[in-house]
Amino acid sequence: MAAKRVRLAQRRKASGFTQEELATVLGVERTTVARWESAETEPQPWHRPRLAQALGISGAQLQELLDDVTVIQRQPSERMNYVLQHPGSADLVAVAYLHEQLRQLDESYDQASSACLLGPAGHLHGQVKFLRENATNPRVRRALFEVEADSATFIGQLVWDVSQRRDHHAPVGYFKEAVSAARHVRDASVESYATLRMSFVALYGEKNPQRGTMLAEQAAEVAKKISPSLTGLSLLHVAEGHAMTGARTECESALKKAEAQFDRVDTDDVAAQYYTVNEFNRLSGSCYLFLGLPELAEPILRMTTRALAGKKKSQAIALGNLTLALIRQGKLDEAASAMHRTIDAVELTRGGGGINLAFSAGRELKQWRQEPWAQEINDRLFALMAAI
């Protein structure tokens, strides 16, 4: 599985540049241009005006080329083609092939747009279900249920992304499918994570903190015997759900329980890489912001934005919350600086959470819209909206 920006490469060639020649014009390494075209990275904001000029296009047209990522999927082997034509012959080798395809798609998540991934992921999910429904070997059928649980979770995530968090019904349907498949094979970690994903839809999509809190509590309960990391992550969203309703005591109680999970995490924990101190701090800052305590949220979020420099989607969310914390304290110069950093991060990632927070902060700045600095921010938000 690979991702390519085919149209970007075509535009570069049409402009008469090799990768090396374009790199020389821009003052970067040839490998940097190659990584842009292979969708491994995106040009930094300061490279974009010169890149657009070199290619003879506008900034908006450049963004269209950057967003147009093609996922290149390897053709199935002859063996896999035979298995799909004769599903009763499915074996563990075929399951391993499907699992590897799903892993590669998942690894492409931060490089390719969700819209580009949705087609290949949906095709793969259909193959998994088809083989599982027709498998005659119990061990093979069980293994296919395991892959189906993971693929349904991934599809649900993609569908929600592509809808810009507006479609709540379809993603939840996939997450429920993942829970059912996980329960069939008693995979508590996948059941917990799919349930947690449903809580995200309730909290951030449906704006229903009561339902979101309930689902996050269910996820924590399922995870508590098998993954302290998943338990802690779920409890963080329990805390955020309480914060959304103004329940500070319950929120801080859940934060303490989440923090206590760090002492239980070991190298065998399936979700250890996702439950980090930075993630804890990011959500703690968000909690205090929801509780109407921006003065407590600010120092936590400042520290977190620096620590998340390598995780741009999470950093964009932290920067958006930091901007809100500064606005609500009347620290307008600092808020303007944080807002520009938020937009920079969102332009790179196109993450739904960061986009929503950037526009939320923009709405809170409306009372200063006649000020030049606020007008500049507003212009950037309009440009961002046009590019989405």
Side-chain angles (χ1 to χ4, degrees):
M1 198 76 61
K4 301 286 183 184
R5 290 192 175 98
V6 176
R7 289 178 59 208
L8 179 64
Q10 289 173 340
R11 183 66 199 184
R12 186 251 307 156
K13 293 173 184 176
S15 300
F17 292 109
T18 64
Q19 287 184 342
E20 189 169 1
E21 288 168 343
L22 182 59
T24 300
V25 169
L26 299 175
V28 300
E29 297 293 327
R30 185 202 64 78
T31 54
T32 299
V33 175
R35 285 197 296 273
W36 293 343
E37 293 182 359
S38 65
E40 294 178 38
T41 61
E42 286 197 2
Q44 295 295 328
W46 53 88
H47 288 140
R48 296 184 183 211
R50 292 183 65 192
L51 177 57
Q53 184 179 16
L55 298 178
I57 57 178
S58 67
Q61 289 171 321
L62 173 60
Q63 189 59 60
E64 287 180 8
L65 296 183
L66 294 173
D67 288 341
D68 188 10
V69 179
T70 301
V71 177
I72 301 171
Q73 195 169 18
R74 292 194 188 100
Q75 291 298 316
S77 64
E78 289 185 15
R79 177 190 180 91
M80 196 64 203
N81 283 328
Y82 178 84
V83 168
L84 290 169
Q85 293 170 11
H86 305 86
S89 69
D91 56 15
L92 293 177
V93 175
V95 177
Y97 172 86
L98 293 168
H99 190 271
E100 176 62 15
Q101 294 297 298
L102 178 61
R103 184 193 66 79
Q104 291 180 16
L105 280 169
D106 188 47
E107 285 188 350
S108 298
Y109 181 72
D110 288 326
Q111 301 171 15
S113 71
S114 295
C116 292
L117 292 172
L118 187 55
H123 183 66
L124 178 66
H125 184 61
Q127 290 179 337
V128 172
K129 289 187 67 175
F130 172 68
L131 292 180
R132 189 264 298 163
E133 289 167 355
N134 291 277
T136 56
N137 184 307
R139 290 182 62 200
V140 172
R141 190 164 55 249
R142 177 184 175 83
L144 285 165
F145 264 119
E146 292 172 351
V147 181
E148 183 180 343
D150 285 330
S151 65
T153 305
F154 187 56
I155 286 281
Q157 181 179 345
L158 293 176
V159 169
W160 201 39
D161 283 352
V162 170
S163 75
Q164 295 184 18
R165 299 188 170 189
R166 295 191 182 100
D167 180 359
H168 312 316
H169 179 73
V172 168
Y174 282 111
F175 295 142
K176 286 181 177 179
E177 182 182 334
V179 168
S180 177
R183 285 177 177 170
H184 194 87
V185 292
R186 297 181 176 84
D187 189 335
S189 61
V190 176
E191 179 186 347
S192 172
Y193 186 63
T195 304
L196 183 58
R197 278 279 167 190
M198 282 193 277
S199 82
F200 294 173
V201 176
L203 290 171
Y204 313 125
E206 299 168 346
K207 308 297 183 185
N208 186 337
Q210 290 81 11
R211 174 170 167 77
T213 302
M214 178 193 69
L215 287 166
E217 287 174 338
Q218 289 178 7
E221 182 66 22
V222 173
K224 70 179 183 180
K225 293 182 180 180
I226 50 95
S227 173
S229 293
L230 266 176
T231 304
L233 193 59
S234 301
L235 287 169
L236 283 179
H237 292 282
V238 170
E240 196 169 31
H242 285 309
M244 288 177 178
T245 62
R248 181 174 180 178
T249 300
E250 291 82 355
C251 171
E252 291 183 331
S253 174
L255 286 175
K256 288 179 182 177
K257 292 176 182 177
E259 188 174 20
Q261 297 301 315
F262 283 115
D263 293 333
R264 300 182 55 218
V265 175
D266 58 34
T267 54
D268 295 327
D269 194 324
V270 294
Q273 61 179 319
Y274 305 112
Y275 187 54
T276 65
V277 172
N278 292 334
E279 189 69 6
F280 178 87
N281 288 336
R282 182 179 72 79
L283 282 160
S284 296
S286 176
C287 284
Y288 285 115
L289 196 59
F290 276 120
L291 288 168
L293 299 167
E295 68 282 0
L296 295 183
E298 180 193 341
I300 299 172
L301 291 168
R302 280 191 185 279
M303 174 178 60
T304 306
T305 56
R306 291 191 294 269
L308 287 172
K311 296 184 66 177
K312 291 299 181 184
K313 285 187 177 179
S314 294
Q315 187 188 47
I317 293 172
L319 282 166
N321 277 327
L322 175 60
T323 303
L324 289 169
L326 292 166
I327 293 170
R328 292 170 188 177
Q329 293 178 85
K331 299 180 178 180
L332 297 183
D333 288 343
E334 294 175 80
S337 175
M339 185 64 167
H340 281 292
R341 292 175 63 202
T342 302
I343 297 172
D344 287 344
V346 169
E347 285 175 341
L348 286 173
T349 64
R350 291 294 191 272
I355 289 172
N356 289 342
L357 285 168
F359 285 109
S360 293
R363 287 191 291 272
E364 295 199 15
L365 287 172
K366 277 189 175 180
Q367 60 183 300
W368 297 284
R369 60 182 175 274
Q370 301 304 323
E371 299 290 336
W373 60 268
Q375 291 175 2
E376 183 182 357
I377 288 172
N378 200 45
D379 289 344
R380 292 195 68 189
L381 287 173
F382 271 120
L384 180 62
M385 185 184 300
I388 293 174

